[in-house]
Amino acid sequence: MLSLILLLVLVGVAAYFRSPAWLLSLAAVVGLALGGAAWWAYIPVLIVAAACCIPPLRDFILGRIFGLYKKITPAMSETEAAAIDAGTVWWDGELFSGKPDFSKLQNFTTPTLSAEEQAFIDGPVEELCKMLDDWEMQHKTKDLPPEAWQFIKDSGILGMIIKKQYGGLEFSNYAHAKVVMKVATRAGSAAVTVMVPNSLGPGELLQHYGTEAQKDYYLPRLAKGLEIPCFALTSPHAGSDAGGIPDFGVVCKGSYTDPTTGEQHDDVLGIRISWEKRWITLAPVATVLGMAFKMYDPDGLLGDKKDIGITCALIPTSHEGVEIGRRHYPGGSVFMNGPTWGKDVFIPLDWIIGGVEYAGKGWQMLVECLSVGRCISLPANSVAAGKMAGYTTALYARIRDQFGLPIGKFEGVDEALSRIGMYTYQMEASQDLALTALDNGEKPSVISAILKYHNTERMRKTLNDAMDIHGGRAVVLGPRNYLAAAYQAIPVAITVEGANILTRSMMIFGQGAIRCHPFVLKEMRAAADNDAKAFKQAFGGHLHFAFTNAFRSFWLSLTNGVFAGAPKNSKATARYYRQMTRLAANFALVADMSMFSLGGSLKFKEKLSARLGDILSNLFIASAVLKRFESQGSQKEDEAVMRYAAEQALFDAQTALDGLLRNLPMRPLAWLLRVLTMPLGHNINAPADKLASKVADDMMKNEGMLARLSKGMFVPDNEDEAIGLLPVAHAAVIAAEPAEKKLRNLTRKGKLVQPSPALRLQEALDNGDITQQEFDLVTRGRQLKRNVIMVDDFDMQLEQHDEKLLERHVF
């Protein structure tokens, strides 16, 4: 027994520090020797040591495994391979390693705005926001105002990603995101209008893959707003399965008239394309159409390959046969979105983005660019929703009272309000960490999927909580209702750029398991290339990785990471770093064992894949939360929201781990993994109620913490606007509180007997119980509070006369 204990202790210590195989073997032998083990106890240890440490024997065993691996590994489609190869691995790879180096996290440069970028946000972006009125756009014009459209074109905001040599702004990804975020806090439809040309579309694709002629012609025109671009990928029969698009083009000779010059070109080698696309943003007003289609060359006009593959082309919408102009109405939002279609439309080969050399490379082009755009547009919109919901709800919860108390003081309300603050903190922290990667030249495809899913889901939760707290104030539509438009548009963000169900259940772990794992992709490539040497090296490393992770996971779980290291200068965050180290080791182990036990069938076990993705995602979110807190100077005022955000992410990761182990099909393996990952059960607790109440209270003060949480959002400096009224009313209500308290005390003592609050106020003044100044403070506070609480009402015939929706009754 002593020998076994010493063996496990010494091997465990060696494994914890990921010692090489020979040192692990030596530790096992020493443990047996110190424990006085019988001779036969050495036999299994020596056999394992020989298999690991003697090259000929190790190569023989790994050679047999290589043969089996090639037989059982499922073939990968071209689209799957392109998705796997797209982008780069960054902090997600550290988390997948099971032993993240948090000094790297702390050393990542914190993104900031340049003077030029800040001036643009404070100037043109602010000016654009003042031109927008969500209510009028939704219920009268069904579009952005003409002056806003012109300003968008003239200001250069459509060319944020375009290099200055082509007339663009060449902003950082961080600035791009902050511009979109600010516009989105004012009007989501305007934000979508701005973000699409700067995201996945012709501009992005041209800069990376376009020919010099294409860049020289289109990029200056796109930067100046002379062209409005859209990109057509989705079709009625290919949504999530974008690689299965039915739209096709056949290489042939034909004739066309150049829509830009009017010149006629005959007997030209080109492509005859037929397509039907739906849900294409800006399509109704686009002047240039990016098109993804499957390209075929049945007559071999370009070479021997008949099925060339997905290809991307640029087609002027004025070109003969291109149909646009009809629109969809997505969730009540008025951004331009609609169908485009065409049949047997002939285009020359040089309209392919990148020229004929890039024919068939469209899918790879798209997934590489998508990993950038998905870190920016929808996550920024989600951050905007969180900021707007957090700011307005915090002030409203402090202004509105019931039973003599601000509603935010009731625990049921503060629970929801604190969630809004916590999720908003998580969302912006996660996006800022991803933007750090982008601005350092990374294209983190797995992280972009994490952001797309988790930010939009947190947006949904924050808006739901905001609606609940506002109650009837947010139910009644009207110009005063600042939540309804964002609430109605939630399904748009959830659905586009990879539906959330697909992203969570298939993409995050499905892509991450191969792309971020230290050895899996190397093994797969070695098998595909029939490279036995490379496979043996990768698989040997994989075995060592899995073995050491088992010991690390058990030890770290037994102690909840108490003895794990934490970066220097991390006093407030140290225990979260330690718990993350524990969960990262747990994740690395269960990810390996899930792939080992299920093999290629794991990608069909979407619920398990989703839970594995949730663990990885919440580890990334927790990392981002700690990074944000420390980057902002570890502000004491922000400590409560940081703790809440970190603890919730870690608790959610543990919950996902528990769900995985409850449902892993190979039950004996699941039982063993539970011992190795949760030997003491759930020892990561959910955030305490007291902590949540502290976050809500901090938000309602409208001081430093809320200022940082809502930084960058557009707040009108006009009391006539609903959001602009909130800070003014908030200050007035707080200023009147001492006098209001005095009035309540006088009423309870029977000194004020008038039947209404207004009459009692006058009675108190007449009796000399309050001063004129106190009277004025209470009067103003009550009037502003009433203005905040009031909702709009309309003419009885509003359903017959839509313009009457703009005629509200003013109190």
Side-chain angles (χ1 to χ4, degrees), residues 166 205-206 209-217 219 350 352-356 358:
Y166 298 108
L205 293 170
L206 280 171
Y209 310 105
T211 65
E212 291 305 314
Q214 290 170 342
K215 292 178 183 179
D216 290 342
Y217 178 77
L219 290 178
D350 58 11
I352 295 173
I353 297 177
V356 72
Y358 279 86

Side-chain angles (χ1 to χ4, degrees), residues 338-350:
T340 175
W341 65 98
K343 184 173 177 60
D344 295 331
V345 177
F346 183 82
I347 68 168
L349 288 175
D350 58 11

